[in-house]
Amino acid sequence: MLKFISWNVNGLRAVTGKGIFPEVFKDLDADFFCLQETKLQEGQIDLSFEGYESYWNYAEKKGYSGTCIFTRHKPLCVKLGIDNEEFDNEGRVITLTYPDFHLVTVYTPNAKEDLSRLSYREKWEDAFLTHLKKLEETAPVIFCGDLNVAHREIDLKNPKPNRGKAGFTDEERAKFNTLLSSGFTDTFRYFYPDTEGAYSWWSYRYNARKNNAGWRIDYFVTSSALDDKLLGAKIHSDIFGSDHCPVELSVDLKVN
């Protein structure tokens, strides 16, 4: 069995400086620990864990975006980005390749409150799906991260007033439908198809987390070929330190 964790830490230096990240990392004890929104440049943090290797993708813009994967298992190869110049300067994607699967962590662009980046976001979705399908030519894919979309109405506390807003536009939800219909599985919904009140992000405003007025926008999505290998999915809503909480997936796979 392999255990995967994904967490948008919303600034790795901040959550590490508070002592939270090392403690959470140790307690969750995962084979793979994927991070989004590290907000780092190379050399800005000295962070390592015994028995793990780490791989980083930094945004050109300082203090922005960024991804990282800590792993106990050395990959066959590591790829940063998706081979697309329009999208590869913000540190949003890392792909690790193993004999039996590819692991991808992703921080999907936000459409912005005024939706000024929605068209960019839609083009990104197409390019990212192309990346995933190319990977699938050699092995199934496990990908995780902050996808910045609540797929269904049960994936956020207040769907009606939020419809059409960033993260819950018809366009973003349609792209997620396209992803799933292309042969991928939303693993949390695989196990909990109708569970309500399960969220991974809460605004810092209006006591949203205290009132559980959240959104489920952090995911593990897998190639449908792995459906019979899925063992369990969790949302660790009891873990604080960011406006997101970690999400988890267990899969019946080994790393040869």
Side-chain angles (χ1 to χ4, degrees), residues 70-87:
F70 289 91
T71 174
R72 286 182 169 133
H73 309 284
K74 187 174 180 64
L76 297 174
C77 65
V78 180
K79 182 180 182 63
L80 306 183
I82 58 175
D83 285 333
N84 189 313
E85 291 184 2
E86 185 176 3
F87 303 116

PDB file of all heavy atoms in Angstrom, residues 70-87:
ATOM      1  N   PHE A  70       7.681  15.659  -1.540  1.00  0.00           N
ATOM      2  CA  PHE A  70       8.582  14.853  -0.720  1.00  0.00           C
ATOM      3  C   PHE A  70       8.219  13.385  -0.949  1.00  0.00           C
ATOM      4  O   PHE A  70       7.038  13.024  -0.882  1.00  0.00           O
ATOM      5  CB  PHE A  70       8.424  15.184   0.765  1.00  0.00           C
ATOM      6  CG  PHE A  70       8.955  16.530   1.169  1.00  0.00           C
ATOM      7  CD1 PHE A  70       8.127  17.645   1.166  1.00  0.00           C
ATOM      8  CD2 PHE A  70      10.281  16.688   1.566  1.00  0.00           C
ATOM      9  CE1 PHE A  70       8.605  18.894   1.546  1.00  0.00           C
ATOM     10  CE2 PHE A  70      10.770  17.926   1.945  1.00  0.00           C
ATOM     11  CZ  PHE A  70       9.934  19.027   1.934  1.00  0.00           C
ATOM     12  N   THR A  71       9.207  12.543  -1.192  1.00  0.00           N
ATOM     13  CA  THR A  71       8.915  11.141  -1.447  1.00  0.00           C
ATOM     14  C   THR A  71       9.958  10.224  -0.817  1.00  0.00           C
ATOM     15  O   THR A  71      11.149  10.545  -0.785  1.00  0.00           O
ATOM     16  CB  THR A  71       8.844  10.852  -2.958  1.00  0.00           C
ATOM     17  OG1 THR A  71       8.701   9.443  -3.162  1.00  0.00           O
ATOM     18  CG2 THR A  71      10.097  11.329  -3.699  1.00  0.00           C
ATOM     19  N   ARG A  72       9.486   9.081  -0.348  1.00  0.00           N
ATOM     20  CA  ARG A  72      10.382   8.034   0.155  1.00  0.00           C
ATOM     21  C   ARG A  72      10.950   7.194  -0.982  1.00  0.00           C
ATOM     22  O   ARG A  72      11.835   6.372  -0.758  1.00  0.00           O
ATOM     23  CB  ARG A  72       9.610   7.107   1.095  1.00  0.00           C
ATOM     24  CG  ARG A  72       9.302   7.679   2.457  1.00  0.00           C
ATOM     25  CD  ARG A  72       8.589   6.634   3.296  1.00  0.00           C
ATOM     26  NE  ARG A  72       8.499   7.034   4.694  1.00  0.00           N
ATOM     27  CZ  ARG A  72       7.383   6.955   5.418  1.00  0.00           C
ATOM     28  NH1 ARG A  72       6.279   6.485   4.873  1.00  0.00           N
ATOM     29  NH2 ARG A  72       7.384   7.329   6.685  1.00  0.00           N
ATOM     30  N   HIS A  73      10.420   7.379  -2.190  1.00  0.00           N
ATOM     31  CA  HIS A  73      10.733   6.476  -3.293  1.00  0.00           C
ATOM     32  C   HIS A  73      11.332   7.262  -4.459  1.00  0.00           C
ATOM     33  O   HIS A  73      10.663   8.104  -5.060  1.00  0.00           O
ATOM     34  CB  HIS A  73       9.470   5.746  -3.745  1.00  0.00           C
ATOM     35  CG  HIS A  73       8.720   5.108  -2.606  1.00  0.00           C
ATOM     36  ND1 HIS A  73       9.138   3.942  -2.012  1.00  0.00           N
ATOM     37  CD2 HIS A  73       7.604   5.510  -1.938  1.00  0.00           C
ATOM     38  CE1 HIS A  73       8.290   3.625  -1.036  1.00  0.00           C
ATOM     39  NE2 HIS A  73       7.365   4.570  -0.974  1.00  0.00           N
ATOM     40  N   LYS A  74      12.568   6.960  -4.784  1.00  0.00           N
ATOM     41  CA  LYS A  74      13.257   7.681  -5.855  1.00  0.00           C
ATOM     42  C   LYS A  74      12.578   7.384  -7.191  1.00  0.00           C
ATOM     43  O   LYS A  74      12.411   6.222  -7.565  1.00  0.00           O
ATOM     44  CB  LYS A  74      14.723   7.266  -5.910  1.00  0.00           C
ATOM     45  CG  LYS A  74      15.557   8.097  -6.889  1.00  0.00           C
ATOM     46  CD  LYS A  74      17.016   7.747  -6.798  1.00  0.00           C
ATOM     47  CE  LYS A  74      17.845   8.571  -7.767  1.00  0.00           C
ATOM     48  NZ  LYS A  74      17.802  10.009  -7.431  1.00  0.00           N
ATOM     49  N   PRO A  75      12.188   8.401  -7.925  1.00  0.00           N
ATOM     50  CA  PRO A  75      11.501   8.180  -9.204  1.00  0.00           C
ATOM     51  C   PRO A  75      12.473   7.826 -10.331  1.00  0.00           C
ATOM     52  O   PRO A  75      13.676   8.076 -10.241  1.00  0.00           O
ATOM     53  CB  PRO A  75      10.829   9.523  -9.471  1.00  0.00           C
ATOM     54  CG  PRO A  75      11.723  10.514  -8.796  1.00  0.00           C
ATOM     55  CD  PRO A  75      12.268   9.830  -7.569  1.00  0.00           C
ATOM     56  N   LEU A  76      11.903   7.263 -11.381  1.00  0.00           N
ATOM     57  CA  LEU A  76      12.692   7.011 -12.587  1.00  0.00           C
ATOM     58  C   LEU A  76      13.085   8.315 -13.248  1.00  0.00           C
ATOM     59  O   LEU A  76      14.182   8.456 -13.781  1.00  0.00           O
ATOM     60  CB  LEU A  76      11.885   6.150 -13.567  1.00  0.00           C
ATOM     61  CG  LEU A  76      11.508   4.750 -13.100  1.00  0.00           C
ATOM     62  CD1 LEU A  76      10.597   4.090 -14.129  1.00  0.00           C
ATOM     63  CD2 LEU A  76      12.752   3.903 -12.861  1.00  0.00           C
ATOM     64  N   CYS A  77      12.150   9.279 -13.228  1.00  0.00           N
ATOM     65  CA  CYS A  77      12.463  10.605 -13.766  1.00  0.00           C
ATOM     66  C   CYS A  77      11.537  11.643 -13.144  1.00  0.00           C
ATOM     67  O   CYS A  77      10.483  11.301 -12.586  1.00  0.00           O
ATOM     68  CB  CYS A  77      12.379  10.632 -15.292  1.00  0.00           C
ATOM     69  SG  CYS A  77      10.744  10.357 -15.972  1.00  0.00           S
ATOM     70  N   VAL A  78      11.958  12.891 -13.242  1.00  0.00           N
ATOM     71  CA  VAL A  78      11.227  14.029 -12.684  1.00  0.00           C
ATOM     72  C   VAL A  78      11.023  15.046 -13.792  1.00  0.00           C
ATOM     73  O   VAL A  78      11.961  15.367 -14.530  1.00  0.00           O
ATOM     74  CB  VAL A  78      12.021  14.689 -11.529  1.00  0.00           C
ATOM     75  CG1 VAL A  78      11.246  15.886 -10.966  1.00  0.00           C
ATOM     76  CG2 VAL A  78      12.342  13.676 -10.446  1.00  0.00           C
ATOM     77  N   LYS A  79       9.809  15.560 -13.895  1.00  0.00           N
ATOM     78  CA  LYS A  79       9.507  16.558 -14.918  1.00  0.00           C
ATOM     79  C   LYS A  79       8.839  17.757 -14.255  1.00  0.00           C
ATOM     80  O   LYS A  79       7.882  17.595 -13.481  1.00  0.00           O
ATOM     81  CB  LYS A  79       8.568  15.958 -15.975  1.00  0.00           C
ATOM     82  CG  LYS A  79       8.226  16.902 -17.119  1.00  0.00           C
ATOM     83  CD  LYS A  79       7.289  16.206 -18.115  1.00  0.00           C
ATOM     84  CE  LYS A  79       6.954  17.094 -19.282  1.00  0.00           C
ATOM     85  NZ  LYS A  79       8.149  17.446 -20.069  1.00  0.00           N
ATOM     86  N   LEU A  80       9.337  18.940 -14.556  1.00  0.00           N
ATOM     87  CA  LEU A  80       8.738  20.170 -14.063  1.00  0.00           C
ATOM     88  C   LEU A  80       7.950  20.813 -15.191  1.00  0.00           C
ATOM     89  O   LEU A  80       8.463  20.992 -16.292  1.00  0.00           O
ATOM     90  CB  LEU A  80       9.818  21.134 -13.560  1.00  0.00           C
ATOM     91  CG  LEU A  80      10.794  20.585 -12.513  1.00  0.00           C
ATOM     92  CD1 LEU A  80      11.757  21.691 -12.079  1.00  0.00           C
ATOM     93  CD2 LEU A  80      10.068  20.004 -11.313  1.00  0.00           C
ATOM     94  N   GLY A  81       6.696  21.163 -14.929  1.00  0.00           N
ATOM     95  CA  GLY A  81       5.874  21.806 -15.944  1.00  0.00           C
ATOM     96  C   GLY A  81       5.227  20.813 -16.884  1.00  0.00           C
ATOM     97  O   GLY A  81       5.257  19.593 -16.678  1.00  0.00           O
ATOM     98  N   ILE A  82       4.611  21.358 -17.949  1.00  0.00           N
ATOM     99  CA  ILE A  82       3.841  20.534 -18.887  1.00  0.00           C
ATOM    100  C   ILE A  82       4.269  20.765 -20.340  1.00  0.00           C
ATOM    101  O   ILE A  82       3.504  20.516 -21.272  1.00  0.00           O
ATOM    102  CB  ILE A  82       2.326  20.785 -18.729  1.00  0.00           C
ATOM    103  CG1 ILE A  82       1.978  22.273 -18.953  1.00  0.00           C
ATOM    104  CG2 ILE A  82       1.836  20.319 -17.366  1.00  0.00           C
ATOM    105  CD1 ILE A  82       0.473  22.560 -18.937  1.00  0.00           C
ATOM    106  N   ASP A  83       5.498  21.235 -20.510  1.00  0.00           N
ATOM    107  CA  ASP A  83       6.040  21.479 -21.860  1.00  0.00           C
ATOM    108  C   ASP A  83       5.200  22.494 -22.638  1.00  0.00           C
ATOM    109  O   ASP A  83       4.929  22.320 -23.826  1.00  0.00           O
ATOM    110  CB  ASP A  83       6.136  20.178 -22.666  1.00  0.00           C
ATOM    111  CG  ASP A  83       7.287  19.307 -22.206  1.00  0.00           C
ATOM    112  OD1 ASP A  83       8.269  19.870 -21.676  1.00  0.00           O
ATOM    113  OD2 ASP A  83       7.210  18.080 -22.373  1.00  0.00           O
ATOM    114  N   ASN A  84       4.781  23.544 -21.949  1.00  0.00           N
ATOM    115  CA  ASN A  84       3.994  24.583 -22.598  1.00  0.00           C
ATOM    116  C   ASN A  84       4.464  25.937 -22.062  1.00  0.00           C
ATOM    117  O   ASN A  84       4.246  26.249 -20.889  1.00  0.00           O
ATOM    118  CB  ASN A  84       2.500  24.367 -22.317  1.00  0.00           C
ATOM    119  CG  ASN A  84       1.605  25.280 -23.130  1.00  0.00           C
ATOM    120  OD1 ASN A  84       1.835  26.480 -23.209  1.00  0.00           O
ATOM    121  ND2 ASN A  84       0.578  24.705 -23.749  1.00  0.00           N
ATOM    122  N   GLU A  85       5.111  26.719 -22.911  1.00  0.00           N
ATOM    123  CA  GLU A  85       5.718  27.968 -22.465  1.00  0.00           C
ATOM    124  C   GLU A  85       4.714  28.936 -21.850  1.00  0.00           C
ATOM    125  O   GLU A  85       5.050  29.716 -20.960  1.00  0.00           O
ATOM    126  CB  GLU A  85       6.436  28.646 -23.632  1.00  0.00           C
ATOM    127  CG  GLU A  85       7.684  27.923 -24.101  1.00  0.00           C
ATOM    128  CD  GLU A  85       8.415  28.675 -25.190  1.00  0.00           C
ATOM    129  OE1 GLU A  85       7.950  29.782 -25.549  1.00  0.00           O
ATOM    130  OE2 GLU A  85       9.435  28.164 -25.684  1.00  0.00           O
ATOM    131  N   GLU A  86       3.482  28.879 -22.309  1.00  0.00           N
ATOM    132  CA  GLU A  86       2.463  29.800 -21.794  1.00  0.00           C
ATOM    133  C   GLU A  86       2.155  29.537 -20.323  1.00  0.00           C
ATOM    134  O   GLU A  86       1.745  30.442 -19.596  1.00  0.00           O
ATOM    135  CB  GLU A  86       1.179  29.683 -22.630  1.00  0.00           C
ATOM    136  CG  GLU A  86       0.107  30.679 -22.237  1.00  0.00           C
ATOM    137  CD  GLU A  86      -1.124  30.626 -23.124  1.00  0.00           C
ATOM    138  OE1 GLU A  86      -1.171  29.763 -24.034  1.00  0.00           O
ATOM    139  OE2 GLU A  86      -2.034  31.454 -22.905  1.00  0.00           O
ATOM    140  N   PHE A  87       2.374  28.289 -19.881  1.00  0.00           N
ATOM    141  CA  PHE A  87       1.929  27.902 -18.543  1.00  0.00           C
ATOM    142  C   PHE A  87       3.050  27.457 -17.605  1.00  0.00           C
ATOM    143  O   PHE A  87       2.777  27.122 -16.456  1.00  0.00           O
ATOM    144  CB  PHE A  87       0.914  26.766 -18.658  1.00  0.00           C
ATOM    145  CG  PHE A  87      -0.276  27.094 -19.505  1.00  0.00           C
ATOM    146  CD1 PHE A  87      -0.523  26.406 -20.681  1.00  0.00           C
ATOM    147  CD2 PHE A  87      -1.157  28.102 -19.135  1.00  0.00           C
ATOM    148  CE1 PHE A  87      -1.622  26.703 -21.470  1.00  0.00           C
ATOM    149  CE2 PHE A  87      -2.256  28.410 -19.914  1.00  0.00           C
ATOM    150  CZ  PHE A  87      -2.489  27.714 -21.087  1.00  0.00           C
TER     151      PHE A  87
END
